[in-house]
Amino acid sequence: MKHTTVLISGASIAGPALAFWLARYGCTVTVVERAPALRPGGQAVDFKGETHRTVLSRMGILDDVRALQTGGHDQTIVDAAGRALAVIPGEFSGGEVEIRRGDLSRLLYDRTANDCEYLFGDSVTSLTDTPGGVHVTFAAAAPRTFDLAIGADGIHSNVRRLAFGPERDYVRFLGHYYALVELGVDGDPVMYNEPGRMAALGGPKAPALFVFASPELRYDRYDPESQKDVLRAAYRGGSWRIPELMARLADATDVYLDSISRAEVPAYSKGRVALLGDSAYGNTLGGFGTGLAVVGAYVLAGELRTAGGDHRAAFAAYESAFRGYARVARQGNAGPFLAPGSRPRMAMRNWMFRSPWMLRLLLKATDRFATGIDLRDYR
């Protein structure tokens, strides 16, 4: 693999995690990222179970992740008057180790920046699969040919679009949207529901998180003002602190709104191009995305090493080893759980967290999903 050149699109979590292993195995790695720099902050992500711990330990970053963890705070579900209705334990929402996405991204970047080339503020504009490699053109950089190209660029993957086809063929909208907004609101973590919509504030999952049911919407994902308009319309007439939060929206400079959707691809690879993380098996707000990305990077790189760089054998082995593990992303939909569509469903969800035996069942299920893979030692 010392003569293998690999292009990775996406510098959030999956991309740098894959770059870490491929560089260690001797590949020449280039990571291209549309954003002009690493994205700081963001919501908290988590790791849970022995499989996640093992991969982080083999990467040598488990202690670093623990040092940056947010602590997994309990979150109180409240009514319109602020009275507590139930408590979501930190071990459920934050797993064993919870860390801000931006902190994890920075950690992975720092571990790979000296061994890999990063192209920020650029993106892939075409991919041409040839017998001798993947010819790639960029928006800014000069064209190049790589042995392999990997799409680790999220559920709206540019690589998947270019190599596989339009997003509508591979991404399924699940009936809800979510928004992360930096509103400058501190305090203990709280969550408030009205039928079909939710607002959560405080704690390590700041910025504020909003989830609401909606038909599929048309808006500019890169225009903060367009996203603010969508959010105001969705929360019009709300109680609790919603009028205050919507008033703060005008001054918010950090806004991210997107659909809750699921990636559904029949195969993780096509020729010399493969998909990793959310681009292949993403499920927005599903709770397993970061773990799947890091474990998937470990498996994909390991199978490439085992196959001596033979991409056909490696990609087939990666899919065989990983598709069963990624089934958790095909099963869930966080929207109805976070923003139940009726008051009886809200009451049922709250009861689940007040019931000790139901909570134990939920925690056991998440641990089973997180550890459901026979993890090889590729090192």
Side-chain angles (χ1 to χ4, degrees), residues 64-85:
D64 297 305
V65 171
R66 284 173 169 161
L68 293 168
Q69 66 180 312
T70 62
H73 296 70
D74 293 348
Q75 185 174 45
T76 304
I77 302 173
V78 300
D79 64 13
R83 294 182 293 255
L85 300 174

Side-chain angles (χ1 to χ4, degrees), residues 207-227:
L209 172 64
F210 300 90
V211 177
F212 58 94
S214 171
E216 207 157 0
L217 301 171
R218 290 185 178 275
Y219 66 97
D220 186 345
R221 288 196 301 115
Y222 301 104
D223 178 16
E225 295 306 316
S226 175
Q227 296 176 53

Side-chain angles (χ1 to χ4, degrees), residues 18 40 67 143 195 234 297:
L18 179 63

